[in-house]
Amino acid sequence: MSYDAVVVGAGHNGLAAAVHLAAKGWKVAVVEGNAEPGGAVKTREVTLPGFRHDLCAMNLSMFAGSAFFAQYKDDLIAQGLDFVPAADCFASVFRDNTYLGVSTDLEKTTGSIADISREDAAAWRAMLSEFGSDAPHIFGLLGSPMPSAAAAKVVWRAWRQKGTGWLYDTARMLFASPRDFLDARFRSAKLKTMMAAWGLHLDFAPDIAGGALFPYLESMANQAFGMVIGKGGADTIVKAMIGAFEAKGGELILGTSVEKIITSGRKATGVVLTDGRRLEARRAVIANVHPKLLFGGLVAADAKREQFDRKVAGFRAGPGTMMVHLALSALPDWAAGADLKKFAYVHIAPDMEMMSKVYAEAAAGLLPVEPALVVGQPTAIDPSRAPSGQHVLWVQVRVLPAEFTGDAAGQIAGKSWDEAKEAYAERVIDIIERYAPGLRGKILGRSVFSPVDLERENPNLIGGDNLSGSHHLDQNFLFRPVAGYSRYRTPVDSLYMCGASTWPGAGTGAGSGFMLAKMLAR
């Protein structure tokens, strides 16, 4: 079979590229080795029948705010895409059984902050006001290829509107650690802790340079726009994208992996599938695949590419992740207050010291004593995901080693994740129980995915790294994934990369796939 483009991998970035190219008249095939598309965006009954759990990604705010969704909104909605907004977005619980949260009601948010510090409440309002004028420039930069004329135009417009001082301030924020950025703006340890927890969604402990941007953007964007999740599950975006793709004439091939990418004269010309089929690609092969899997297996070695391949081999993973999915008879009874049941996310990362410690323990190859937990309560917002009156709990466990040499607490004897995951899940539930007494009595079923299990589910999540590569400064912006190749090209002509390993990185924004497709179809 012959196509204009073959996309390897049916994650949301690959699907975004496929939808746009098909809309531009390209004949496109998407090949996915798993029987189920979606990559890290899947929803499945992993505990009990009727309880639908988002396997990895839950928060779809980035997708809802993406340029891809803006362009294809009508197509996607026609294919059944539906979001559910969360007015109470995220909160952090603290050791004294209090909490601080962000809701779309500014008075509610600032009222809670003012109970701790009136000065910080005023500073929060000032930051939000600045965000209103800063956001178009920041999101414009994040939505432009890196480097590109489009990115340069964003910077030029920002300079014209905001001045040189703003450019310096923004550059400082991009290089700042979460602690330094927050210490310069707020006094309350609780407020700073609440915001800094977002850094651990990537791989930024409080004192890691370059980690300030994500806590700032997530805090302000949730305040300004709220959070959304998928109606019935995060896979609503995948189903809609596939429907839109097929409606435009695209072909989806599931359950058959790509065995190798065919090259001729250092140019990619197609793929060979594990069932022996050969798909020709006249214009492009797009790999929504981790670079180490692409150049460590699918593409034949080439001595002329030695330097590039060496850099890809050195591409560092982010920390590992564990997912604990619970089917519950009722939502947790949070000791900090019943209103916490309304929030989409509850962070259990109660102070900066703990965040620094968990990062250091994981980096040392130890099972952390007290991991950071992101407790998602999707059925508080979307009851359709569970039987009437019952609930699902989505628990993302951060930050973990892909492989470990011991337990920092000296309690778990297992030497591999297969041996230790259930015992470590017990530690996770013990931590939640500390902040929500009685949780164990509400558990109807559970399913645990260790870092190793996540990689088995999706080989792109190497070592359970749901970031597809560390986002530290030397692997971000112009350096993602490899310096000189941040614009999705590779040393092999007509072979392109997209996905979380490429700019602008992890998340559900479909940015790399859409930007690449626009560049190809121009």
Side-chain angles (χ1 to χ4, degrees):
M1 292 290 292
S2 181
Y3 303 88
D4 290 307
V6 174
V7 179
V8 183
H12 74 284
N13 274 295
L15 291 173
V19 168
H20 186 68
L21 292 176
K24 295 299 181 181
W26 288 37
K27 184 179 180 182
V28 183
V30 176
V31 183
E32 170 58 52
N34 289 324
E36 183 182 6
V41 184
K42 294 176 181 172
T43 307
R44 193 182 297 163
E45 295 180 353
V46 294
T47 55
L48 297 171
F51 292 83
R52 287 178 53 77
H53 302 265
D54 289 338
L55 210 59
C56 294
M58 172 185 146
N59 180 358
L60 299 182
S61 301
M62 291 178 69
F63 188 88
S66 69
F68 174 79
F69 179 66
Q71 181 157 340
Y72 290 102
K73 180 177 180 179
D74 292 343
D75 298 80
L76 297 171
I77 290 175
Q79 295 294 333
L81 175 63
D82 198 4
F83 295 127
V84 183
D88 296 304
C89 306
F90 71 92
S92 281
V93 291
F94 306 110
R95 300 192 192 280
D96 61 357
N97 285 332
T98 62
Y99 79 91
L100 192 60
V102 171
S103 304
T104 53
D105 182 341
L106 179 59
E107 298 305 318
K108 182 176 180 179
T109 302
T110 55
S112 297
I113 297 172
D115 289 341
I116 303 171
S117 167
R118 291 188 177 277
E119 183 177 346
D120 280 352
W124 180 273
R125 287 181 181 274
M127 181 176 282
L128 181 65
S129 178
E130 293 169 2
F131 176 75
S133 61
D134 294 352
H137 306 299
I138 295 174
F139 287 119
L141 190 63
L142 294 174
S144 299
M146 185 66 63
S148 65
K153 287 179 182 178
V154 170
V155 175
W156 182 80
R157 284 195 296 267
W159 174 73
R160 288 290 302 269
Q161 294 177 22
K162 307 284 288 186
T164 303
W166 183 86
L167 292 181
Y168 281 125
D169 289 343
T170 302
R172 285 189 66 192
M173 178 180 67
L174 293 178
F175 288 100
S177 71
R179 189 191 303 271
D180 288 342
F181 175 78
L182 295 168
D183 280 350
R185 287 156 179 82
F186 302 106
R187 291 190 174 185
S188 166
K190 289 182 176 179
L191 176 57
K192 290 184 282 188
T193 294
M194 180 191 74
M195 296 178 70
W198 282 105
L200 292 183
H201 281 249
L202 295 179
D203 56 334
F204 290 103
D207 297 300
I208 301 294
L213 179 62
F214 199 57
Y216 165 70
L217 286 183
E218 282 291 343
S219 297
M220 292 297 103
N222 276 275
Q223 179 65 82
F225 311 122
M227 184 185 290
V228 299
I229 64 173
K231 177 72 172 178
D235 64 348
T236 183
I237 68 171
V238 175
K239 293 175 180 177
M241 293 170 88
I242 289 172
F245 172 59
E246 293 181 332
K248 298 179 190 303
E251 181 180 352
L252 177 66
I253 301 171
L254 296 176
T256 303
S257 299
V258 170
E259 184 175 89
K260 68 176 180 179
I261 291 173
I262 307 166
T263 58
S264 177
R266 299 187 70 192
K267 178 181 179 180
T269 59
V271 302
V272 175
L273 308 187
T274 51
D275 63 9
R277 279 182 289 173
R278 182 185 180 110
L279 309 181
E280 295 182 5
R282 292 185 291 268
R283 303 170 77 174
V285 175
I286 298 172
N288 186 18
V289 174
H290 194 288
K292 286 188 174 182
L293 301 180
L294 179 60
F295 288 97
L298 297 183
V299 180
D302 184 343
K304 295 180 180 179
R305 210 180 55 233
E306 181 180 356
Q307 186 178 15
F308 174 86
D309 287 359
R310 188 168 59 251
K311 290 179 179 179
V312 167
F315 185 67
R316 296 190 315 280
T321 307
M322 171 184 274
M323 296 300 306
V324 179
H325 297 290
L326 301 178
L328 301 179
S329 60
L331 286 170
D333 291 313
W334 297 98
D339 282 349
L340 270 176
K341 293 183 180 183
K342 302 175 184 177
F343 282 84
Y345 275 174
V346 177
H347 287 131
I348 303 181
D351 51 59
M352 294 270 205
E353 292 72 23
M354 166 264 160
M355 294 185 213
S356 296
K357 183 180 178 184
V358 66
Y359 191 90
E361 288 174 341
L366 299 174
L367 296 176
V369 173
E370 186 181 18
L373 306 182
V374 188
V375 181
Q377 303 181 119
T379 43
I381 303 153
D382 176 20
S384 72
R385 298 183 181 211
S388 180
Q390 297 177 319
H391 292 271
V392 301
L393 210 64
W394 177 98
V395 184
Q396 189 178 71
V397 186
R398 312 194 62 88
V399 178
L400 302 177
E403 298 177 349
F404 58 91
T405 57
D407 175 20
Q411 298 169 347
I412 297 175
K415 297 300 182 183
S416 71
W417 274 114
D418 286 341
E419 295 173 348
K421 72 175 185 179
E422 294 298 337
Y424 203 75
E426 287 296 316
R427 180 173 298 175
V428 169
I429 293 172
D430 284 344
I431 292 172
I432 303 174
E433 180 93 13
R434 197 180 308 157
Y435 294 91
L439 174 72
R440 287 187 180 278
K442 303 176 190 293
I443 297 174
L444 305 174
R446 88 177 187 190
S447 182
V448 180
F449 289 78
S450 73
V452 173
D453 293 327
L454 292 175
E455 183 176 353
R456 289 169 180 152
E457 174 70 30
N458 182 350
N460 289 308
L461 307 182
I462 295 174
D465 168 24
N466 69 332
L467 309 175
S468 282
S470 168
H471 285 61
H472 289 181
L473 289 172
D474 65 332
Q475 290 193 173
N476 210 352
F477 300 100
L478 299 172
F479 308 108
R480 192 165 190 87
V482 172
Y485 293 92
S486 58
R487 287 172 55 86
Y488 315 115
R489 292 182 179 274
T490 75
V492 180
D493 291 343
S494 299
L495 175 62
Y496 303 89
M497 294 182 290
C498 69
S501 295
T502 64
W503 171 258
T508 57
S512 62
F514 188 43
M515 283 190 276
L516 168 59
K518 288 193 293 182
M519 293 165 70
L520 292 175
R522 190 170 296 158

